[in-house]
Amino acid sequence: MASEAAAAVDGEKKFALREVDEEVDGILINASGHVQELERNFNFWSICSVGIVTGNTWAAYGGGIVIALYNGGPPGMIYELLVVSFFYWLIAACIAELASAIPSSAGVYQWATVTAGPKWGKAAGFFAGWWNSFAWLFGATSINLILANQIIAMWGLFHPDYVFERWHGFIVYLIMAWVCVFTVMFGNRALPYISQLGLFLILAGVLVTILVCAIMPSTTGTGYASNSFVWSDWENQTGYTSDGFVFLAGMLNGAFAVGTPDCISHLAEEIPNPRRNIPRAIGAQMVVGLVTAFLYLIPLLYSINDPTAVFENPYTSPLAEIYRQATNSRGGALGLLLVIFMPTLCCCIGAYITAGRMLWALARDEAVPFSSFVKKINSWQKNPMNATAVTGIVATCLGCIYIGSATAFNAFAGSFVVLTTLSYLTAILPHLLTRRRYVTPGEFWMKDSVFNTVAGIACAYIAAFIVIYCFPYSLPVTAENMNYACLITGGLTIFVTGLWFWKRNRGYVGPPAFVDEGAAVVEGRNVVGISADKT
């Protein structure tokens, strides 16, 4: 009977959320239970801007349009985007609930630690945090390469004799990587304004592109694609015999564009009232992302009058050929590439912000090698400068892979989707299985029946599509079309497993998963939570 009573008490322990920041021995402790070390530079509008800019769905989807066209042609792109957006809206709702209840820059790392309970929480959080950290690093490098390809395509438009070599892309990739990294490192107070500028560029850019692609084909004499080409002519160029499977596999392209609902949560400790603002910002991000991507795709696809030229285009960015067909001029194509380049640059900056914050969140709980260096907050910029610099260095090393194999490097986009959804699953599934008993509700909290349905479908989607997204892109399988996402994900998981067995008894403390209201033990700059008996 005593053991049953103890189990019942243990089952009712919850994360006790602070309503406001509190001081413990003169040190400010934020709602997540950590020492408040970062400046609150962002407000609601700037945090919305970060989410929309980092997601930047229309630009990200446009950057990989040729790959997407193989999986069903234009109808595949449109319908795959709509279906995958439905599933990511469900995931976003679960993330918004956890972010409202536990506002922390650690994001899924801290949520998984809480929802998995005191027995499995530290291990679950460790894996979720590392999967998410690797994912955002790969996401940043993928957007980084899109930027580089856009720049080279602008050059190629006016140099017909130019022959692209991968080392050209690597040099431009490095330049853009460190432009973004230095912006994050040394422009901390300017980041909210950069994000707001990015939001303007995204909305203005998509409007300009829609108008040009909708109007110019009729005025330049090139004409529009047929309705059947855009809406119904299914084109399966993957080698798979099942069109249904091709449709499901093609959803990976949309998932890369829309699958960033957790990016806002990594700035939870840099905005006021995160319990309310983060769920609202996530909602704004998902709505704006889907609407702009859908409205962008329609006129873009109608402006394609020579599909063969798009597949065989000589430019590093296929959008260069599509825009050339839409405007019937190289100057017009250059203008539209500039329109998409600027918001993509802001998107890349946002991705490096998220990657650096996630690594820093792991380091402050001693989950990272050389944590004492990585977790330091720069006294001048008041930001995790060391962690951001590390992401830049790793991104530089990953760029070297591109010289050896573009296919292997491009697998980072697929790995981003697989690793982010794995980290989401690690937080959401325990939350569902334990009937949310470890989390005190935040301002956004779904009814039990609604949550069970939303989370159940979201978890089923993740479990099924993690496997589907690891299949080869086309048949027959060769080294050039192999999908290396499964190899990357498996290899990194083995690495994280080894790191867990090394770190778990060597200083790893984990985030403050169970914090008694108003109580915390301050050890230097770390705050260790105390389990609270809520019965």
Side-chain angles (χ1 to χ4, degrees):
M1 291 296 293
S3 61
E4 292 178 2
V9 170
D10 183 67
E12 291 299 321
K13 292 176 182 177
K14 293 189 177 184
F15 182 92
L17 181 69
R18 290 178 173 83
E19 295 293 333
V20 295
D21 295 342
E22 298 176 2
E23 283 196 8
V24 178
D25 293 339
I27 296 178
L28 189 65
I29 310 301
N30 59 38
S32 72
H34 288 97
V35 173
Q36 179 62 36
E37 298 182 277
L38 305 178
E39 290 184 337
R40 298 192 189 276
N41 292 326
F42 294 84
N43 56 31
F44 172 69
W45 292 111
S46 59
I47 201 68
C48 283
S49 300
V50 170
I52 296 169
V53 168
T54 306
N56 201 3
T57 306
W58 70 274
Y61 209 22
I65 189 170
V66 165
I67 297 175
L69 286 172
Y70 277 96
N71 293 84
M77 286 193 69
I78 294 172
Y79 302 130
E80 288 159 8
L81 173 66
L82 294 176
V83 173
V84 80
S85 293
F86 166 76
F87 288 112
Y88 268 93
W89 278 42
L90 301 181
I91 294 173
C94 297
I95 287 176
E97 179 176 287
L98 288 169
S100 179
I102 311 171
S104 169
S105 293
V108 291
Y109 164 52
Q110 187 155 0
W111 305 335
T113 304
V114 174
T115 60
K119 183 176 181 179
W120 303 104
K122 286 182 68 174
F126 191 90
F127 277 85
W130 271 107
W131 280 332
N132 195 259
S133 183
F134 281 125
W136 275 107
L137 182 60
F138 294 158
T141 56
S142 298
I143 296 296
N144 204 152
L145 183 62
I146 291 175
L147 270 180
N149 286 336
Q150 288 174 354
I151 292 173
I152 296 174
M154 294 180 205
W155 170 268
L157 276 170
F158 296 94
H159 297 82
D161 297 331
Y162 169 68
V163 178
F164 172 75
E165 295 186 29
R166 280 204 293 269
W167 70 266
H168 300 164
F170 175 66
I171 296 300
V172 181
Y173 167 91
L174 287 185
I175 293 172
M176 298 314 302
W178 285 100
V179 166
C180 295
V181 170
F182 284 146
T183 300
V184 177
M185 290 173 63
F186 299 106
N188 191 55
R189 291 178 179 84
L191 292 180
Y193 304 104
I194 293 174
S195 298
Q196 292 177 33
L197 174 62
L199 176 60
F200 170 78
L201 293 172
I202 284 174
L203 298 180
V206 74
L207 178 61
V208 168
T209 305
I210 289 171
L211 291 175
V212 171
C213 291
I215 296 171
M216 289 293 288
S218 64
T219 62
T220 59
T222 56
Y224 299 100
S226 65
N227 289 331
S228 59
F229 173 77
V230 175
W231 297 102
S232 60
D233 289 346
W234 180 264
E235 293 288 340
N236 176 5
Q237 301 188 47
T238 63
Y240 287 102
T241 57
S242 171
D243 288 341
F245 177 80
V246 170
F247 182 92
L248 297 178
M251 287 166 56
L252 172 65
N253 306 298
F256 176 72
V258 304
T260 60
D262 68 309
C263 63
I264 296 172
S265 67
H266 294 294
L267 294 172
E269 296 169 35
E270 299 176 62
I271 61 173
N273 197 4
R275 299 176 65 207
R276 174 181 298 177
N277 286 333
I278 291 179
R280 293 164 62 195
I282 290 175
Q285 173 194 358
M286 300 305 290
V287 170
V288 173
L290 175 59
V291 171
T292 54
F294 182 77
L295 295 180
Y296 167 76
L297 269 183
I298 304 307
L300 183 74
L301 295 173
Y302 268 109
S303 66
I304 299 175
N305 53 73
D306 186 356
T308 302
V310 174
F311 284 108
E312 298 176 355
N313 82 91
Y315 311 111
T316 52
S317 174
L319 285 177
E321 173 60 24
I322 296 175
Y323 288 158
R324 191 198 63 77
Q325 293 185 20
T327 62
N328 201 25
S329 71
R330 299 183 187 277
L334 174 63
L336 289 180
L337 282 175
L338 286 171
V339 165
I340 198 174
F341 171 79
M342 294 306 297
T344 306
L345 175 60
C346 295
C347 172
C348 193
I349 292 172
Y352 277 110
I353 291 173
T354 306
R357 263 55 171 185
M358 185 63 239
L359 182 62
W360 167 74
L362 286 169
R364 69 179 173 180
D365 293 327
E366 306 298 330
V368 176
F370 310 106
S371 292
S372 59
F373 170 79
V374 179
K375 71 180 180 182
K376 283 185 178 178
I377 296 296
N378 182 268
S379 59
W380 170 36
Q381 288 291 324
K382 302 296 184 183
N383 70 354
M385 184 179 290
N386 292 357
T388 305
V390 170
T391 62
I393 294 170
V394 175
T396 299
C397 296
L398 292 176
C400 297
I401 296 175
Y402 179 69
I403 298 178
S405 172
T407 302
F409 186 89
N410 290 334
F412 291 152
S415 300
F416 167 79
V417 174
V418 173
L419 290 168
T420 50
T421 49
L422 267 176
S423 68
Y424 300 159
L425 184 67
T426 311
I428 297 171
L429 183 59
H431 197 41
L432 174 66
L433 296 179
T434 60
R435 299 182 180 180
R436 303 189 286 181
R437 69 172 177 264
Y438 292 116
V439 180
T440 299
E443 293 204 13
F444 174 71
W445 191 258
M446 291 177 276
K447 294 181 179 179
D448 288 344
S449 58
V450 174
F451 171 79
N452 291 336
T453 302
V454 169
I457 296 174
C459 290
Y461 160 79
I462 294 172
F465 278 81
I466 282 176
V467 177
I468 293 174
Y469 291 158
C470 287
F471 271 76
Y473 300 122
S474 61
L475 296 178
V477 181
T478 66
E480 293 300 318
N481 65 12
M482 179 61 187
N483 185 351
Y484 293 97
C486 56
L487 178 63
I488 293 172
T489 302
L492 290 177
T493 300
I494 293 173
F495 166 78
V496 174
T497 301
L499 188 62
W500 161 251
F501 283 110
W502 176 52
K503 294 292 292 184
R504 63 176 180 168
N505 296 320
R506 290 177 174 84
Y508 175 62
V509 295
F514 301 98
V515 181
D516 194 5
E517 293 184 83
V521 176
V522 180
E523 297 182 354
R525 298 297 291 172
N526 293 321
V527 178
V528 181
I530 304 174
S531 296
D533 183 355
K534 290 298 182 184
T535 59

